Structures are given as C-alpha cells and as structure tokens.
Amino acid sequence: MGNKLKMGVLALGVLSMTAGCSSMSERTKCVIAGATAGGLVGGGITTGIGLSKENQSGNLEWMVPTGVAAGALVGGVIGYFACPPAEAAPPPPPPPPPPPPPPPPPPPPQKIVLRGVHFDFDKSVIRDVDKPVLDEASDTLKANPNVKIYVNGYCDSIGTVPYNLKLSQRRSESVAGYLENKGIPSGQLIPQGFGKTHFVADNKTSAGRAENRRVELLPADQQ
C-alpha cells in the first residue's frame, strides 16, 4: 500500500509539471509528455516485476525510482523525435516604402508687360520713335504665342465722339498691322478703339493730350 501511494504521488508530480507548461514550445511539451508516460510505464513495469518475485518486495525502494527514471528518459527521447519541429516564424514583412514627395507647385504665370505707343494729333501713322517699342513687343509675343493681346486705341478730348471713335480704331489697327508684318498672327491680336475715353492725363495741356493719344497693348488674361 505504501508503494502504491508513492507511485500515485510521483504520477501527480509529473502531471503537475505537464500542466504548467502552457508557455513552452510544442517540442518541449512533447518531451515532457513522453517523459511522463515513460516514467509511469517504467515505474509500473518495475513495480510489477518486484511484486511478482518472492523476497524482492524490499527492493521496490530502489527499483521503482530506477524504472521511473529510465522510463522517463526513454519516453522523453521518443517524445523529442516523435514531435514535429516547430516551424520558424516567417520574417516580418518589409516596411512600406515612404510616400513620394509632393510635386512642386506650378510656377506662377509670367506677367507680360508691353509698352504702348503714342500718336501725333489727328494721326494714326506709327512714328519712327515708337517702332523700337513695337519691335520689342513683337519679340515678346513670339515668345508667348498662346497669349492673346488687346490692342486698345485712345484719343484726346478734341473732336467729336464719332470721329474720335473711328480715329482710335484706325490707331489700334495700325499697331496690329505693324505687329502682323513682324510675324505675329492676326488671331493673336484684338484691335479695338475706345475714342475719347480712359484718359491718363489732363487734356487741358498739350503734354497731357499727347499722353492720351495712345495705343496700349494688354494681354487678355491680365485684364
């Protein structure tokens, strides 16, 4: 009865070890399970052998532990090789590539500045002194072929409204014709006359009236 009690205590101890192995690897668990089973089998076999022979019951004190140890060793080895090895964890995925940098902002639109020209009193003929100004304007327009240009003609305050309206139109068409002769397409130019309006200087002086007799070149998208 004492030997059976010892065997029970031994079995409970081995089982308690197994129950506390939840955090172990699968192979370690297999080894412990095999050792537990082997120890129980080995202890049972040696106990049976010791009790089946006469005058050897006193040897159970060393036979049972030896059988348990041998059985546990054999069972652990069997459990080690019987359990499949743990699969290696897959490597972590590579980090995502950094987002591409935002595109640079578009350049601001270029502001086109064109100088106007002036006319003698009651004339629509371009003066020689103003031709270099229009030559410079033609070079600028060739570099910006998609920009439409208003060619706006104006007069001073002398004369009737209908007459000055026609005169301002002739002045704008004279400038447009000069630019066309320099290679600017007619579709890029919009001549229009405004007569005796939009004064930029005082009409009471000759200098002021000369300033008002003019043609201005104004890009359509900068109105």
Side-chain angles (χ1 to χ4, degrees), residues 185-199:
S186 60
Q188 194 175 353
L189 305 171
I190 307 172
Q192 48 190 3
F194 291 93
K196 45 191 297 183
T197 61
H198 300 84
F199 301 126

Side-chain angles (χ1 to χ4, degrees), residues 144-203:
N144 298 273
N146 296 323
V147 177
K148 290 187 178 296
I149 300 297
Y150 289 116
V151 184
N152 298 337
Y154 301 96
C155 296
D156 59 26
S157 63
I158 300 176
T160 66
V161 170
Y163 181 83
N164 279 291
L165 187 61
K166 293 179 182 179
L167 178 59
S168 65
Q169 184 68 32
R170 291 198 303 271
R171 287 172 175 171
S172 66
E173 290 175 353
S174 178
V175 171
Y178 184 92
L179 294 174
E180 289 176 23
N181 290 334
K182 290 295 181 177
I184 306 303
S186 60
Q188 194 175 353
L189 305 171
I190 307 172
Q192 48 190 3
F194 291 93
K196 45 191 297 183
T197 61
H198 300 84
F199 301 126
V200 295
D202 189 354
N203 283 292

Side-chain angles (χ1 to χ4, degrees), residues 26-27 30 80-88:
E26 291 298 322
R27 171 157 280 182
C30 290
Y80 178 85
F81 289 104
C83 188
E87 296 183 0

Side-chain angles (χ1 to χ4, degrees), residues 52-185:
S52 65
K53 295 184 178 183
E54 296 181 358
N55 300 324
Q56 292 194 16
S57 59
N59 294 330
L60 291 176
E61 295 294 335
W62 64 268
M63 291 178 65
V64 172
T66 302
V68 170
L73 177 62
V74 174
V77 172
I78 294 174
Y80 178 85
F81 289 104
C83 188
E87 296 183 0
Q110 180 183 5
K111 185 175 179 63
I112 299 175
V113 179
L114 300 172
R115 294 189 293 162
V117 295
H118 296 85
F119 292 83
D120 293 331
F121 177 73
D122 197 22
K123 301 292 183 181
S124 60
V125 178
I126 296 173
R127 303 178 304 177
D128 289 339
V129 68
D130 289 319
K131 290 180 180 179
V133 176
L134 295 180
D135 292 341
E136 177 187 314
S138 68
D139 293 338
T140 302
L141 296 179
K142 288 176 183 178
N144 298 273
N146 296 323
V147 177
K148 290 187 178 296
I149 300 297
Y150 289 116
V151 184
N152 298 337
Y154 301 96
C155 296
D156 59 26
S157 63
I158 300 176
T160 66
V161 170
Y163 181 83
N164 279 291
L165 187 61
K166 293 179 182 179
L167 178 59
S168 65
Q169 184 68 32
R170 291 198 303 271
R171 287 172 175 171
S172 66
E173 290 175 353
S174 178
V175 171
Y178 184 92
L179 294 174
E180 289 176 23
N181 290 334
K182 290 295 181 177
I184 306 303

